[in-house]
Amino acid sequence: MTQHPPASAAPLAVIVLAAGKGTRMKSDRHKVLHAIAGRPMLDHLLASVAHLAPERQVVVAGHGRDQLEKALAGRAAIALQEPQLGTGHAVQQAEAALEGFAGDVLVLYGDVPFVKPDTMRALLERLHGDDQPAVVVLGFEPADPLQYGRIVAVDGVIARMVEYKDATEAERASPLCNSGLLAARCDDLFALLARVDNANAQGEYYLPDIVNIAIADGRGAAVIVTEDADEVAGINSRAELAEADARWQHKRRLQAMADGATLRAPETVWFAWDTVLGRDVTIEQNVIFGPGVTIADNVEIRAFCHIEGARIESGVTVGPFARLRPGAVLEEKSRIGNFVEVKNATLHKGAKANHLTYLGDADIGADANIGAGTITCNYDGYFKYRTVIGERAFIGSNSALIAPVRIGADAIVAAGSAVSRDVSDGELRLVRGEQLVKPGWADSFHDAMKKKKAERK
């Protein structure tokens, strides 16, 4: 990923607020760790932040701090807000983590995951405009302003900001709303926060109050407005999470088709955040991609497939009703058919498994044919073992390959075999019990049972 620092070239720190309890989620999982397209919303945000190459990142946590520490794994400092006394108070908790830092600060929200890097840059560039505002706020004009805080501004210069509950009717009539995101110089930010009080309807320390304090000081504050209200949409409930995922999916489907993929029923295809598609890929109905999927050119994914952690090379056909799990590699012109599951296994060029098969922890040689009902028995309850199948080998239907086992090149395993020892190149392996034939036995059995049943009536 190419990183582009802000045009101002001032050092940058980012504060992400994530201390809320997220009670509307009704979940034991921290709100910002709920996933959109297979990626926690916090990680969506931090991926955008990374484009600006910040020197420091601080996540303000409260409820669920342990979860955040584990998820972040050292990627950001953690500041604790306890108790939660408002957004201004939350930002103050990051001051210690930014000790000695002299530069710009972006204040973002962990439950507002889709702020674009260009929007963040615009905030910072405006901060270094000719009039040198003390604070720059990101505003937006939603179709329904609801109970968002309002911004009263003229030509991008803020006259006043007010929370909805404290606003007059005239102020509530303003269509320009506060997203909560802002930029300020580090020294200015914490100096202004030190002067914020909680004399308001909620009895909290509001972050937007620093704007009104800066205006009263004659420092001035500015607003830039995003035209994409979805960019600053907060996610507070399961319903809003689903809506955000749906918006993301819609954009990704359009991008996939613009890049040369055919989606037979776009609304039924669900991508992960990192799905990679080549050109002339065809995806039929009801296909779901988990994270970690890369698909080359000229691949066909047929209906009702579930694919994650897989690499699919050119000319491959998958499905319908196939499942590819992490570690699946399908090399050029291989084939996976209906009700086939592949996990941690490679099918080399031209290999095929067309029906009702499980291939786990396996290496399938080029042009090998795996018959219906074949199972690689890879797990003994304690350890996993590998199956290796040579080039052009033929595995007959309903065979069990008991790993660790190696099937040689050009070998044939007869249908119904349970193979527990290696098979040499070119060998036939037939493992079946002797067939027992008793002519007329079934007729005698039926007659005896019918008579017995009649006697019971």
Side-chain angles (χ1 to χ4, degrees):
M1 178 179 62
T2 303
Q3 297 179 338
H4 301 287
S8 68
L12 173 64
V14 173
I15 299 172
V16 178
L17 303 188
K21 293 182 178 180
T23 53
R24 290 170 58 192
M25 281 287 188
K26 302 291 193 297
S27 177
D28 293 331
R29 181 182 301 160
H30 195 291
K31 178 170 68 170
V32 302
L33 299 181
H34 283 262
I36 295 171
R39 188 187 212 182
M41 63 175 88
L42 177 61
D43 284 348
H44 280 282
L45 179 63
L46 292 180
S48 293
V49 166
H51 286 274
L52 280 67
E55 287 189 8
R56 302 194 197 185
Q57 296 183 125
V58 184
V59 174
V60 180
H63 174 77
R65 175 184 179 178
D66 292 346
Q67 293 184 32
L68 287 175
E69 288 180 337
K70 182 177 180 181
L72 288 166
R75 291 178 291 156
I78 298 283
L80 179 63
Q81 185 194 19
E82 187 61 47
Q84 283 84 55
L85 301 177
T87 52
H89 179 256
V91 175
Q92 282 183 309
Q93 309 316 301
E95 187 171 8
L98 296 183
E99 183 177 0
F101 177 77
D104 300 338
V105 177
L106 274 173
V107 179
L108 307 172
Y109 291 77
D111 59 1
V112 181
F114 294 127
V115 187
K116 300 181 181 73
D118 286 347
T119 300
M120 299 179 197
R121 290 193 188 95
L123 283 167
L124 297 167
E125 290 168 2
R126 183 66 185 88
L127 187 65
H128 292 271
D130 293 340
D131 57 343
Q132 294 287 295
V135 184
V136 180
V137 175
L138 181 61
F140 69 113
E141 296 186 357
D144 185 349
L146 300 170
Q147 296 189 8
Y148 290 107
R150 298 299 201 268
I151 302 173
V152 179
V154 178
D155 296 329
V157 177
I158 300 175
R160 175 169 166 73
M161 286 183 60
V162 61
E163 294 293 321
Y164 180 86
K165 291 181 180 180
D166 300 304
T168 66
E169 288 303 317
E171 289 166 338
R172 290 178 180 179
S174 171
L176 185 57
C177 296
N178 174 27
S179 71
L181 283 66
L182 58 80
R185 295 165 192 83
C186 190
D187 290 344
D188 285 341
L189 176 64
F190 292 110
L192 290 166
L193 280 170
R195 297 163 60 190
V196 172
D197 62 38
N198 64 347
N200 52 60
Q202 291 292 98
E204 294 184 347
Y205 297 89
Y206 292 150
L207 178 60
D209 282 356
I210 66 173
V211 173
N212 295 325
I213 294 171
I215 293 169
D217 288 349
R219 295 287 309 282
V223 60
I224 65 168
V225 181
T226 175
E227 296 181 357
D228 182 5
D230 289 344
E231 184 180 15
V232 294
I235 298 170
N236 297 295
S237 67
R238 306 274 186 161
E240 290 173 354
L241 184 71
E243 290 167 1
D245 204 341
R247 291 193 299 269
W248 189 96
Q249 294 292 340
H250 177 69
K251 292 176 182 178
R252 182 64 183 88
R253 292 162 188 151
L254 292 177
Q255 186 63 53
M257 291 185 285
D259 290 342
T262 294
L263 308 186
R264 296 295 188 199
E267 69 282 0
T268 70
V269 176
W270 290 79
F271 292 106
W273 64 274
D274 60 348
T275 306
V276 177
L277 298 180
R279 295 180 61 173
D280 294 313
V281 172
T282 297
I283 303 173
E284 293 185 353
Q285 300 89 335
N286 296 293
V287 174
I288 297 175
F289 295 98
V293 176
T294 300
I295 298 177
D297 297 346
N298 300 298
V299 168
E300 182 180 7
I301 309 296
R302 303 188 68 188
F304 293 97
C305 291
H306 189 286
I307 302 172
E308 61 179 317
R311 187 177 87 240
I312 302 174
E313 298 183 3
S314 179
V316 171
T317 300
V318 179
F321 296 97
R323 184 182 182 196
L324 304 183
R325 293 170 58 194
V329 177
L330 307 185
E331 292 189 354
E332 183 180 358
K333 296 183 180 179
S334 57
R335 170 80 168 87
I336 290 294
N338 52 283
F339 303 105
V340 175
E341 179 177 351
V342 180
K343 188 273 297 181
N344 193 28
T346 297
L347 274 75
H348 292 281
K349 183 177 180 179
K352 57 186 177 181
N354 280 325
H355 331 275
L356 302 160
T357 293
Y358 171 70
L359 300 173
D361 298 290
D363 191 270
I364 315 300
D367 295 315
N369 183 89
I370 311 300
T374 296
I375 298 172
T376 58
C377 307
N378 58 329
Y379 183 50
D380 64 2
Y382 295 93
F383 302 101
K384 298 289 182 71
Y385 303 92
R386 199 154 187 88
T387 298
V388 178
I389 298 175
E391 296 180 356
R392 299 173 301 281
F394 183 94
I395 310 300
S397 297
N398 200 34
S399 292
L401 308 180
I402 304 168
V405 69
R406 178 180 295 269
I407 310 298
D410 299 300
I412 296 175
V413 173
S417 295
V419 179
S420 58
R421 292 180 294 175
D422 290 354
V423 179
S424 299
D425 293 353
E427 180 178 301
L428 167 66
R429 180 65 57 85
L430 172 62
V431 187
R432 296 178 189 155
E434 181 182 355
Q435 290 194 60
L436 180 64
V437 180
K438 293 186 176 182
W441 186 93
D443 290 337
S444 298
F445 172 78
H446 291 311
D447 290 344
M449 297 307 291
K450 289 175 183 178
K451 181 179 179 182
K452 187 174 183 180
K453 187 174 182 179
E455 290 173 349
R456 290 187 177 184
K457 290 182 178 180

